[in-house]
Amino acid sequence: MATTTKPELNRLRAALKAKQKELLGGLRNREGIAIEHAADDVDQVQFAAEREITIAKLNLDSALLRNVRAALRRMTEGHYGACLHCEEAIGPKRLAAVPWTSYCIECQSAADRGEFEEQQAGARE
C-alpha cells in the first residue's frame, strides 16, 4: 500500500462510502427513462433526448460506482493507493481529489490517450 496514514485512510474511506451512498440513491431513480408518448412530434423528440441523457448519466454513475466499490475493496485488501498499472504510490493530492482512482497521474494520462489498449493489442499479436 502507498504511504497513506491511518487518519487519511479513514477520511478517504468515509468519502468513498459517502460517494457510494450518493450514487446508489441516484441509480434508484429511473423516472427519467420512462417512455412517454405525446401527440406532438417535437415533444416526442424532446422526451427521447431527455431519456437518452438520463440513460447516459445512469451509465456514467454505474461506472463510477464500480470504481468506488473497487477502491473500497483495494482498501480492504491492503492495495489502496498503489497504481494498478505501474504499482507506484498514487500521490496524496490525487487520492484526496479522486479517492476512487486506480492509476497515478502519469498512467491515467496514458490510459486517457489509449496507450494501455495499444500495449495490450501489441501483446496479443
Side-chain angles (χ1 to χ4, degrees):
M1 178 165 37
T3 55
T4 306
T5 65
K6 190 160 181 88
E8 288 171 344
L9 196 60
N10 288 337
R11 186 182 52 75
L12 292 167
R13 181 179 285 114
L16 286 165
K17 288 189 179 230
K19 188 66 171 179
Q20 177 178 253
K21 184 177 179 181
E22 171 193 329
L23 290 166
L24 285 170
L27 289 171
R28 288 188 183 107
N29 180 11
R30 298 173 189 245
E31 292 174 14
I33 60 175
I35 297 175
E36 298 181 40
H37 297 284
D40 186 1
D41 287 342
V42 174
D43 287 341
Q44 284 285 61
V45 170
Q46 177 73 30
F47 291 149
E50 289 171 3
R51 192 170 45 253
E52 291 300 317
I53 290 169
T54 301
I55 290 170
K57 181 169 179 359
L58 285 171
N59 286 335
L60 288 172
D61 287 351
S62 293
L64 181 54
L65 180 60
R66 284 190 299 277
N67 290 337
V68 167
R69 287 179 170 165
L72 288 167
R73 193 169 38 257
R74 287 191 303 276
M75 278 183 176
T76 301
E77 295 169 354
H79 304 293
Y80 182 79
C83 177
L84 294 182
H85 186 72
C86 71
E87 299 180 3
E88 294 294 321
I90 298 172
K93 287 183 182 179
R94 177 156 172 76
L95 287 175
V98 189
W100 51 85
T101 190
S102 53
Y103 297 124
C104 67
I105 194 75
E106 293 82 14
C107 290
Q108 184 64 60
S109 294
D112 291 345
R113 290 188 302 268
E115 293 177 13
F116 291 173
E117 290 87 12
E118 292 170 7
Q119 290 173 359
Q120 291 171 348
R124 283 180 265 174
E125 293 176 358

